[in-house]
Each structure stands twice: as C-alpha cells, then as structure tokens.
Amino acid sequence: MMKQRTLWWVAAIAVAGLCSAGAVLEIWRDYRSTRDAVTAQTDATVRLVNAHAQRAFGYVKDTFDRLSAHIVELDRTDEHELHDLRDRLQDITIASETVGTIWLLDAQGKRWLNNLAAPSSGQNTAERAYFVDARAAPGTFIIGPVESGTVLARPRFTISRSVTGADGAFQGVIAAGIDIEPFTRLYEAARAGPNMQIVAFNRSGDLLARTVDISQDVIGIARKAVGGSSDPADRWITSVMPVPGFPLVLVALTNFDQGLENWRARSWQVALLSLLMLSGFLLLAKAGARFAEREEKANEDLRVLNENLEERVHERTRSLNLLLRELNHRVKNNLQIVGSLIRLQARSQAQPEVSEILERTNQRLFAIADLHSELETGETGSASSRQFFERISRRVLDMADLPGRRISLCTEFDDIPLPVDRAVPLGLILNELVTNSVKHAFRDRLHGCIAVTFKVRGGVAELLVADDGGAMSPPAPSKGIGSQIVTMLSRQIEGVVTVTYAGGRQVRLVAPMAMTSAPSRDHAPLARAAAE
C-alpha cells in the first residue's frame, strides 16, 4: 500500500503538471487570439485602402470611357473643339484628388493634347512602356512605375488605356499621371500604428505607393507576399488584396513581434501566477508529507507497542491456561482419590444399602472428575460435549455390577463446547439417568440396550436417555436422592424433564443452550422441543 507521504508528493506533482499544462494552454490560446486579432486588423486595413483604390480608379475608368467616346467623334482640325476638350481635361484633374495630368496620344505615340495651358509638345512616346503595353492589350488598363512629372515635378505613376474606333481600329492612348501623395496620406491615416505598413504594387511588381517610414526589407517582404511566398522568420503578418479591374495589388503588413508586446506581458503574468500556485502546492505537499511521515511514525510506534502488548497478553494467557489446566488436573486427581476412598469404604460396608449409597456418591464424584479431565485437555473454560458425555456413559457401565448380564450402550452426541455452568448439571443428570437405567431397567433380563443422545438445535439442547427394559407404565413416584438431583439440576439450567414409556423408558431433558454462561429467557423453543 502506497504511503501517505508518497501520495502527497504524487498529488503535488499531478497538480503541478495540471497547473503547468493549464498555463501553457492559456498562453498558447492568448497567443492565437492575439495573432488572430492582428490578422483581422491587417485584413480590415487592406480592405479599407482597397475600397479607396476602387473609388479612385473607378473615377479614372469612367473618365477614360467618356474621353474615349469623345475622341472617336472629335475633329482635331477644329480649334474650338480642341479648346473645349482641354477645358474638359482641366475640369477632370481639378475634380480628382489623385489625377494630376492627362495626356492624349495619337496612334503613332505623339502627344497631341493635355490638360495644361501649355501647348502639347508633340513628344513621341511610341517607345514608352505604357504606350506599347496599351496598344498590345486593347481595353486593358496599364499602370507604369513611379517617375517625376515633366510638367509638374512631383512623384507619380502613369495609368493608360488604348482608344479604339467603332471599327476596332487603334486610334491612340489616354494616359493619366496619378499623384502618389494622396495615397501616402491615406495609408498613414489607415494604418493601426507604427508596427503596420501599407504598400501598393503594379502587375510588374513596381512599387507605386507606400507608408512614409517603410524600409526596403519590409518592401521586399511585401513583394514576396504578392508572389505567394513568405518566410516565418520575417515575423510579419501580411494581407494581400488586388484591386478588381486594375493591375494593382495592395499589401498591408503588421510586425507581429511589436504586436506581441502586450501578449508577452500577459504571458509573464500567467507564468508568474502559475509559479506562485506551483510553489504553494509544493509547500503544501511538503507540509502534508511531513505530517504524513510523523503520522506513519506514530502508527508504526503504536503498531510495535500493540505487538508487544499482544505478545505479553499472549504469554499471560498461556501462563493462565497452564495454571488452569494444572488446577483442573489437581482437582480431577483429588476427586478421584476421594472417590477411591469412598469406594473402599463402600466395599467394606456390611449393609448393602449403605454400600449402594456410597457407590452412587462415588459415581457422582467421578462424573465431576470427568468434567475436570475434559477441561484439562479441552478449550479454556469449556469441555467437548461428545467426549464428556461419552466418558460418563461408558464409566457408568464399567462401574456397574452386572453379573451374567450384557447391556450395550448406543450413543450419538453433537460436539459443541460446553461451558462449565452447563457441563456440571448436564453431566450429573446424565450420570443419574444412565445409572437409573442400568439399575432398574434390566432386573429380569440378561441383556438390553441403553441409547443416549445429545442434540442442539436453534439454541435448545435435548438430552435423551432411553432403554428397552420392561417398564411399560410409570412406577410409583420416587423420592430418592437421584430423582431430587435430576429435578434440582434441571431447574438450575431452566430445563424441562419429560418421561415416557413405550417399549421401555425414555427420559428427555430439554434446556436452553447458549454459548454464554447466562441461560436464555426465551422459553418458546424450549416448550416446542418438550412438546415434540
């Protein structure tokens, strides 16, 4: 069996394991929650700037659609129509925060009109990428890299689209210079904090717009995210979203290391609380183990004391048993000596009546001596009923003077331990009943049988002595000492004696038989047994 102090330590280790596992799970759950929150914030930011881009470039698309329809129908030799168209271009740039300039290019790539008051330079842009790409992909928007304007010296990128006639013939390109500054202001306002950056790329991966303080390393991370690759060591959470209908991709990035500052603080708090709880449990386990150890030591001392006490009691009991057996042995010897003296006295008597009285007295003494003989060899304070009754019955026959007669003895005894206060009366009663059958049942017969039984059922003892003598009816009431002894002793043990005559004489004694010295007061079983 596991010792209590071991149980304390096992419980402490189990609780410590549960606390540690709970702390790790809580830290991991908080980590995932923090990462999910940062991811959700990054996604929300990129959706916000994407919505702005859709509005801005949607305006550009509507403008290009209207201009394309107007250019197809325009008479370029009419100065009045050209003047109206230039005014219209100026109105477009004034109404838009992002569109800085608009150029109209013919099919050969020459600029023939813009929104500025200065006349068109007629510069040939046939080799420029935005012209070549627009001509190669009719109806598709082309976004070029950032460059400084030739008229207005501020950073911008070019968005262009081809113009086709009703017959599908290529008639030129519309190009607009998009200012970067409005996008930069929007990105600065939209980002959640200094740990978030926002960038925009065209289809070729050219950087178009960005937050002010972004580094080249972060731009490289964003470019890899657009390409579909990422490195967990970068510790940046990225959200990529293209602008529908335009070759433009927006990327929002959040530095997760900086976003984990609050998480680290909470994790330290959880770890510190777990450490305090673990220390408390360990101290409690240590105190419990010490208490259990003291209790076990006290129990061990008590066990040793009990063993010593039991050994002393056992030795004392064994000594008392030896003394009791010695006492029973001496009493038995003394009774046998007294019986032998009485027997010698009986044989020396000339009067038969006196000799008979002495012989009967001698038999009673030997009955008591038989009890002490059984007590000497049996259990302490009790005698075996079978051996005791068998000894008395046989001794009566052996001591009887039966010249020329053969009397057999049939016995059947339940073997139970008889207390002394039951054994003495029952032994004397049995002695008187068997002696009476031997003396009176076979006066006119040379042989006969005496049956003696002793049964115990349900706390009731039945002693039966029966003979097959010639007595067929009750004799005259006897007032001899034997009858008086039977009556007196049966009352002493609260027994009932019944005598019947059927082919001989049967004497039945029914008495309560408890295993204690006090007789039972419940006489219902006794009455039923007597009636049977």
Side-chain angles (χ1 to χ4, degrees), residues 312-323:
R312 292 175 62 184
V313 170
H314 179 71
E315 291 294 332
R316 181 74 176 213
T317 303
R318 185 167 57 183
S319 299
L320 292 176
N321 287 338
L322 291 175
L323 291 175

Side-chain angles (χ1 to χ4, degrees), residues 218-261:
V218 179
I219 293 174
I221 294 173
R223 187 173 280 112
K224 286 192 297 183
V226 172
S229 63
S230 61
D231 186 356
D234 293 335
R235 306 298 295 170
W236 286 83
I237 295 177
T238 59
S239 181
V240 180
M241 182 174 290
V243 179
F246 296 90
L248 182 67
V249 178
L250 300 173
V251 183
L253 308 91
T254 302
N255 189 331
F256 192 51
D257 278 340
Q258 297 179 12
L260 286 178
E261 292 179 359

Side-chain angles (χ1 to χ4, degrees), residues 122-160:
Q123 181 181 0
N124 194 332
T125 59
E127 302 299 327
R128 301 292 292 269
Y130 60 83
F131 181 84
V132 175
D133 293 341
R135 183 172 185 173
T140 302
F141 283 96
I142 305 298
I143 297 179
V146 175
E147 58 185 1
S148 295
T150 58
V151 178
L152 298 176
R154 56 176 179 255
R156 67 182 183 178
F157 60 87
T158 303
I159 181 170
S160 60

Side-chain angles (χ1 to χ4, degrees), residues 273-291:
L273 180 61
S274 299
L275 182 60
L276 291 176
M277 293 178 62
L278 179 60
S279 301
F281 280 120
L282 290 177
L283 290 175
L284 180 62
K286 185 176 181 181
R290 286 183 178 178
F291 175 79

